[in-house]
Each structure stands twice: as C-alpha cells, then as structure tokens.
Amino acid sequence: ARWRAASSARSYSRCPNPSRLVEVDPAKANEWTEGKALLATGSPFPPAKTPNGKDYIIAECNNALIYPGLGFGAVLSQSRKLTDTMILAGAQRLAALSPALKDPDDALLPDFEDAPDVNFEVAVAVAEHAIQEGVAGVEWPKEEVRRRARELQWKPVYPEYEYDPSGEV
C-alpha cells in the first residue's frame, strides 16, 4: 500500500529495517507531502530533495538514541521503577535536541555519532523527573543531577595493545 499524507499538515512516517522492505521510500514521502513530512527511518537512506532544492537529511530512528539514556537515568536516580512520565521526560529531551528545530530542512533526530551526548541528556532528564516525581532513591537538587551523571558516565577508553610475535608479555 502506498502511504500519502495531507500536504497541508506535517506528517510522520516510520520506515522500518531493512531498507529493501521499506513501506515507503522516504524520498517519495517527502515528494508526496511537498516537503512537509517529518521523516525517520530504521535504516540509513540518502537525503531527499526539499521543494526548494535543498537536501533533507533522512533521520535514522533507532533505540540507540534513547534506551541507554532511559536506563542510565533510572540507575543514576536509583529509581524504584521507570514511570511513563520518566519515559516522556526522556523523549521530550530527545525531541528538544532535534536538529530540525534550528533548520526545518535538517534531520528530525540527532546523528548517531552524537548518541553518547544525546543519551547523557536523556539520562539527566529522566533522573531529574524521577527525583521530582518521588520515585528516586536519591534526593539531589536539580543542579546536582548533571554533575553526578558526569561522574558516573561510562567512557569507552581502551588501552593500546602491541603485537608481540614471540608471544611474550
């Protein structure tokens, strides 16, 4: 089935993995809606052209941009549960990081290379909300949550190894 959206309103289309099984080609959705569709896919796609000829970056929507932050925020706040409103706080923080807010022709979601920073922000929002909601096991002031998150954030630092053909350590 072909998907079409009303050209007078912003619409959202989800295009799942893998690319060859996509329900709608994001470039066609962009064309059909005259550039008014908010597009995110489950796989990488090339940019689509906007009506003004600019490239529209097709966002890749994946769990990697929110789930690590949801989990880290719950652990950070020592929350007894992950409430719907904590998830909403994380989703709202992710939405606030949308490049399209600065440039409507830009991607709907941040780039994957920004995932560590995005998830840090999601975690802070989740932890702050858990404390505000009273389900956290800590009682930090809002200003302290970010500092605590920085202290506890895992940094992928790997030592450099040298190959020793003789097998000596």
Side-chain angles (χ1 to χ4, degrees), residues 4-151:
R4 293 185 188 256
S7 60
S8 62
R10 283 288 208 178
S11 301
Y12 169 80
S13 175
R14 180 184 145 311
C15 303
N17 292 328
S19 299
R20 65 182 174 72
L21 297 177
V22 70
E23 294 149 345
V24 62
D25 181 283
K28 288 190 188 301
N30 196 53
E31 179 186 327
W32 293 335
T33 62
E34 298 173 357
K36 294 181 177 122
L38 300 176
L39 298 167
T41 66
S43 298
F45 277 88
K49 289 288 182 198
T50 63
N52 64 9
K54 288 176 63 178
D55 278 347
Y56 175 74
I57 306 299
I58 305 298
E60 194 171 342
C61 185
N62 190 290
N63 299 340
L65 288 176
I66 194 160
Y67 281 125
L70 292 175
F72 181 38
V75 169
L76 174 66
S77 65
Q78 299 174 23
S79 177
R80 296 180 295 283
K81 57 186 170 182
L82 186 60
T83 66
D84 290 347
T85 55
M86 289 166 63
I87 294 169
L88 183 59
Q92 288 171 334
R93 184 66 57 93
L94 173 59
L97 298 172
S98 171
L101 292 174
K102 293 179 184 160
D103 178 356
D105 294 331
D106 211 340
L108 182 61
L109 294 168
D111 195 88
F112 274 138
E113 73 181 29
D114 299 325
D117 294 332
V118 169
N119 278 292
F120 178 83
E121 291 300 324
V122 168
V124 169
V126 169
E128 288 173 349
H129 195 81
I131 293 167
Q132 176 188 333
E133 194 174 358
V135 296
V138 298
E139 294 182 15
W140 303 324
K142 191 172 186 176
E143 310 79 50
E144 194 170 334
V145 174
R146 185 171 294 277
R147 183 183 65 77
R148 297 280 186 133
R150 283 271 179 239
E151 289 173 2

